[in-house]
Amino acid sequence: LGSDIIIALSQVLTIDAGSGYSTYTWNDGSIAQTSEIIGANGAGTYNLNVVVGNSYGCAGEDDIVITVEAPDTCTQDINLPNNWSIFSSYVYPHNPDIQAVLANIVNDIIIVKDEQGQVFWAFFGLNQIGNMTIGKGYQIKVVGSQLLQISGECCVPENIILSLPSSWSILGYLRQGPAPITSMMSSLGTDLLFIKNGNGQVYWPGFGLDLIGNMMPGEAYQINMVVPRTFSYPSNTDNYSKIDIINPG
């Protein structure tokens, strides 16, 4: 399995036990030739062990220690308005469980929903969402205006490949500064049908309609795709001028 290794929260590490064996038994329950450690599952030390066997009944065993290291803390402040909104984060949280991510405002949350309709409902002790996923957005209903603070490792947006399914999903915004939605979504071309923000404002490129203007850190967007696509945001170092949108009165 190789030497013990340290990875970052943003990394995914595949451990390969080698080919040519008839059986593979990992201590994480996998029976494949490889096993994965996903840094975004949280900082800490992970011990992987595998027992391999061949057709003659011989067995071998090896293990490796993977440390997921939390770097210098990056904190994002997200302003949530009273009632419903849609949020996302450019931070890999040290603890990605949605209950831990929302800990500083949990007493003021009514409910949180992901794009699949899974919920976090603290009052009833219900957490169907589990870990928050980088690049996804979440609908949230709060009592009063709230300041959500998420600490962890800032992501590198151009290194994250997001999978957009056909029809509706909720897209997070991963850059640390605002930028025109026309520039951010240009690579999707005619495969993009429609985008809506938490205020109900729309970007509808087929009709030349843009009432959103700028994508903003902390916000997320309901997106409707004609066909499935992969997508990445530009780098934080790429400069984009904010644009002003005048809503029709």
Side-chain angles (χ1 to χ4, degrees):
L1 298 182
S3 302
D4 296 346
I5 192 170
I6 298 173
I7 66 172
L9 286 169
S10 57
Q11 291 181 274
V12 175
L13 179 66
T14 299
I15 304 296
D16 192 335
S19 61
Y21 300 103
S22 56
T23 61
Y24 299 86
T25 306
W26 297 83
N27 63 332
D28 64 359
S30 174
I31 57 173
Q33 179 180 325
T34 61
S35 183
E36 278 191 344
I37 291 292
I38 302 173
N41 285 342
T45 300
Y46 298 84
N47 296 281
L48 270 184
N49 173 274
V50 64
V51 177
V52 297
N54 62 23
S55 57
Y56 300 104
C58 298
E61 184 176 3
D62 199 3
D63 54 51
I64 185 173
V65 177
I66 301 100
T67 302
V68 180
E69 194 172 61
D72 293 338
T73 296
C74 163
T75 299
Q76 181 180 11
D77 291 341
I78 301 172
N79 291 299
L80 301 173
N82 180 54
N83 213 336
W84 284 102
S85 60
I86 316 175
F87 80 95
S88 67
S89 179
Y90 54 71
V91 175
Y92 285 102
H94 293 318
N95 182 347
D97 185 271
I98 195 74
Q99 183 168 352
V101 172
L102 300 174
N104 77 297
I105 61 167
V106 71
N107 293 331
D108 298 298
I109 295 172
I110 297 176
I111 195 169
V112 181
K113 294 195 297 183
D114 68 10
E115 63 187 15
Q116 304 296 331
Q118 302 295 304
V119 303
F120 169 62
W121 206 341
F123 182 80
F124 292 100
L126 182 61
N127 183 2
Q128 298 174 328
I129 294 175
N131 288 348
M132 191 178 84
T133 301
I134 198 82
K136 294 292 186 181
Y138 298 85
Q139 295 174 300
I140 186 169
K141 186 176 184 180
V142 296
V143 178
S145 299
Q146 302 296 328
L147 177 63
L148 172 61
Q149 295 182 309
I150 302 178
S151 295
E153 178 188 2
C154 286
C155 77
V156 181
E158 67 271 24
N159 290 345
I160 298 175
I161 300 174
L162 303 174
S163 295
L164 302 175
S166 60
S167 192
W168 288 102
S169 61
I170 303 180
L171 174 66
Y173 182 60
L174 299 183
R175 301 181 78 249
Q176 295 182 32
I181 194 168
T182 52
S183 300
M184 297 297 97
M185 299 292 109
S186 62
S187 65
L188 296 176
T190 56
D191 293 336
L192 168 62
L193 182 62
F194 191 86
I195 292 181
K196 184 169 61 172
N197 68 10
N199 296 319
Q201 297 164 316
V202 303
Y203 172 59
W204 202 342
F207 288 90
L209 182 62
D210 177 13
L211 299 180
I212 293 178
N214 301 296
M215 300 186 82
M216 303 296 293
E219 294 186 359
Y221 303 85
Q222 294 175 301
I223 181 170
N224 194 334
M225 297 291 297
V226 178
V227 295
R229 283 284 303 271
T230 56
F231 167 77
S232 293
Y233 283 103
S235 166
N236 284 315
T237 58
D238 292 352
N239 293 320
Y240 295 92
S241 298
K242 289 176 63 178
I243 58 174
D244 295 324
I245 294 295
I246 300 176
N247 292 325

